[in-house]
Amino acid sequence: MHPWVGLSDEVRLGLLTEWITPELVDEVLATCGRQDANPRPLSRRFMVYFVLALALFQQDSYDDVAENLVGALGEMDQSIPNKSSFTRARQQLGAAPLEAVFRRVAGAIAPPTLEAAFWRGMRVAAVDGFVLDVPENDVTRAAFGGRADSAGQPVGFPQARVVTLTETGTHATIDARIGTFKGGGGEPALATEMADSAAGMMVIMDRGFPSVALWKAYTQAGAHLLIRARTFIAAKPMEILPDGTYLTRMNLAGQRRSHPGGVTVRVIDYQVDGGETIRLLTDLLEPEAGPAAELAALYHERWEVESAYRQLKTFQRGKAEVLRSASPELIRQEIWAHLALHHCLNRIIMRLADGDGLDPDRISFVKILKHTRRSVVLQAGRSTRRLRQFTKQMTTKVARKLDNGLRRLRAADRYTRRPISQYVARRKDQVRHATRRVSAKMITLAPPILQ
């Protein structure tokens, strides 16, 4: 009998075990029909923790991750199974249990006392998406697709697309969907599927999302919308409001404004420091319910979702790292693990910030990630004494070590960082400036253009 039989169920995930408890994992496995029929060295409960640990220690090999998990359990680190055994166990587990774990732990976490997470009593969330590079093979290319050059030839790695509903005040993931690089309606279609999770919230989106179907899905679910649009969308005013904003109709392509299939939107045009005109669409049709200046300032909270993606893609996964899984099912399993892990790390940040009365933006995600990794290595089997001591040490270090200080106003030029061709990285006349401090921006509402 393998030495791990009966012992692998004792493995935990350090600080993250507070939210991803053995009881939760067992419930998820039962719901997904993945319980163990017989004792085995790589039990299903252990494999859930192992896949999460693969995301936590993204740069480590299978055996290194296993040693991190079982090193505190004595004799287990002397008989670690080989990589093929872990791969087969992952295949038998599938992606469904990790998705279920994510859905059990995900959700908004900002308390009512965190004013930055709310606007006029509504929780503020943002919808956006990102892509993750996956290993290149015929199966992953066919399943996910990827970029192509002008001749239709693949360029770069295949890519999986992830769209999330993120709480802007805490970077916590409320809901998420995984799709392909192309096909299935892209980001708007995936975003539409999350409408029910946004009930009662103010949801902000970028200009790639406006559509009648998405608008109806979110408003019917009880959410309010603030979406940036291109200036040719909703460009003909139907009614000019006293504050200079206007009402109009947004319809499907080719439909007249009078078509009943469209939706009525309020349009807010404004400029930042006298630059380009930015157009926002909202379902708050009365100026008293949504003052234009407040909504224009609120839209910039959308950038918090980009900070959340930086946490996951650059710090947690590793800059420009390709996911380790080589089949579509295991790729989805790995992505759900990353999403669940990222959410739990932000729960730790929120707890530490709330305990010291700090804005969670001031707590270092990188340091929390390192402390969480250390907690996994230091876990002492069945005894939680050392883990409690480690948690207490983290709490006492918040003000001194984990606090990054007040966030500074900074600006950086946007350019293609990972181009699909070496010839499109930067225009000839584009000068790359370093990230720099800036003063507060001046928002000026723009009058409607009558057509």
Side-chain angles (χ1 to χ4, degrees), residues 254-407:
Q255 290 181 347
R256 295 178 179 273
R257 281 197 299 174
S258 59
H259 194 284
V263 293
T264 300
V265 301
R266 177 171 162 228
V267 179
I268 302 170
D269 288 338
Y270 70 99
Q271 297 173 335
V272 177
D273 287 347
E276 67 171 321
T277 298
I278 298 174
R279 172 160 296 171
L280 300 179
L281 310 180
T282 181
D283 66 314
L284 298 174
L285 305 183
E286 299 293 333
E288 295 78 11
E294 290 186 24
L295 291 174
L298 180 65
Y299 173 74
H300 295 271
E301 288 296 308
R302 191 201 71 81
W303 288 99
E304 292 296 334
V305 75
E306 301 291 350
S307 297
Y309 292 164
R310 183 169 183 251
Q311 292 174 348
L312 193 154
K313 295 179 62 178
T314 301
F315 303 134
Q316 179 179 307
R317 177 201 58 169
K319 186 176 181 180
E321 286 279 339
V322 179
L323 298 184
R324 70 174 83 221
S325 305
S327 71
E329 182 71 5
L330 296 190
I331 287 170
R332 293 186 178 91
Q333 181 191 79
E334 186 176 351
I335 294 174
W336 287 121
H338 271 290
L339 290 169
L341 170 63
H342 179 257
H343 180 82
C344 290
L345 291 173
N346 279 290
R347 279 187 175 273
I348 296 174
I349 289 175
M350 187 63 242
R351 170 169 295 178
L352 296 174
D354 193 39
D356 274 41
L358 298 174
D359 190 307
D361 289 338
R362 295 179 57 165
I363 304 298
S364 169
F365 180 87
V366 173
K367 292 175 182 176
I368 292 297
L369 178 63
K370 291 179 179 178
H371 277 284
T372 303
R373 288 170 175 165
R374 197 171 301 128
S375 76
V376 173
V377 177
L378 291 177
Q379 61 191 351
R382 299 181 182 183
S383 173
T384 60
R385 178 177 58 84
R386 290 178 64 188
L387 189 57
R388 286 199 300 268
Q389 291 176 347
F390 185 78
T391 305
K392 183 178 180 180
Q393 292 172 0
M394 281 191 62
T395 303
T396 59
K397 291 178 180 178
V398 170
R400 176 173 58 87
K401 186 176 181 181
L402 303 180
D403 183 2
N404 279 336
L406 293 174
R407 181 181 290 183

Side-chain angles (χ1 to χ4, degrees), residues 109-123:
I109 62 175
T113 53
L114 184 60
E115 296 180 0
F118 297 85
W119 179 79
R120 295 200 166 210
M122 291 183 284
R123 193 179 299 272

